[in-house]
Amino acid sequence: MTFYDILDHPADLAITFNAPDLPEVFRLAALALFDLLYEKQPGAQVCLRTVEVVSAIDKEELLVNWLNRLIFLQETQGLCGLDFQIELVPENELKAKIDWTETKELPVREIKMTTYHGLKIIKQNKAYAVSILFDL
């Protein structure tokens, strides 16, 4: 995937990308996470569709909670997210339909968690500029 850029960081992994709206911020962040973990999708067969609900006090906390939930599911159940349908209700709760595939493949890197450090979701004109830092 080429919709995000990897930024130089001495110890962790930082990415940046643009999205046309808030639901797409959360969708693209999830796609980038799994792209960074596997660098290629481990199979394309959808084996499971789940609905995840995450809530927070603001969009930044919601993004951190969302990505950390996905990291947890990847680590504990060996799931790789293939696609995400995001609904924000209104902007402090996220409902996602997720297409997963199970994988025995080991990730190319270990991402421990998403951090608040360096996290930015900035509305610029009609789009959002996003920066995310993952703790390795």
Side-chain angles (χ1 to χ4, degrees):
M1 292 186 184
T2 60
F3 65 87
Y4 63 89
D5 293 315
I6 297 176
L7 305 176
D8 287 331
H9 193 276
D12 295 319
L13 182 62
I15 64 168
T16 186
F17 62 89
N18 294 310
D21 55 38
L22 276 176
E24 194 69 359
V25 166
F26 292 88
R27 180 179 171 273
L28 292 177
L31 289 171
L33 170 66
F34 285 102
D35 189 57
L36 291 165
L37 284 169
Y38 292 103
E39 292 185 346
K40 64 181 181 106
Q41 286 186 345
Q45 182 180 4
V46 175
C47 66
L48 182 64
R49 174 169 274 189
T50 62
V51 176
E52 295 293 327
V53 178
V54 179
S55 60
I57 60 171
D58 59 27
K59 64 185 179 292
E60 289 81 11
E61 182 182 33
L62 190 60
L63 184 58
V64 169
N65 291 351
W66 164 240
L67 293 173
N68 285 341
R69 175 72 180 151
L70 296 176
I71 292 167
F72 173 79
L73 292 170
Q74 181 273 325
E75 288 178 351
T76 60
Q77 298 178 31
L79 297 174
C80 177
L82 300 175
D83 200 11
F84 308 86
Q85 296 175 16
I86 307 294
E87 178 185 357
L88 297 177
V89 188
E91 284 187 13
N92 64 338
E93 183 176 272
L94 177 146
K95 294 181 182 179
K97 291 181 184 174
I98 307 171
D99 293 336
W100 296 100
T101 187
E102 292 179 331
T103 181
K104 303 285 186 217
E105 186 177 324
L106 294 175
V108 295
R109 63 181 51 87
E110 180 184 357
I111 296 178
K112 296 178 188 173
M113 64 184 287
T114 310
T115 70
Y116 290 96
H117 180 74
L119 179 67
K120 294 178 186 167
I121 304 173
I122 300 170
K123 188 167 186 177
Q124 297 176 331
N125 299 320
K126 295 182 180 182
Y128 289 86
V130 182
S131 296
I132 302 170
L133 183 69
F134 296 106
D135 182 22
L136 302 179

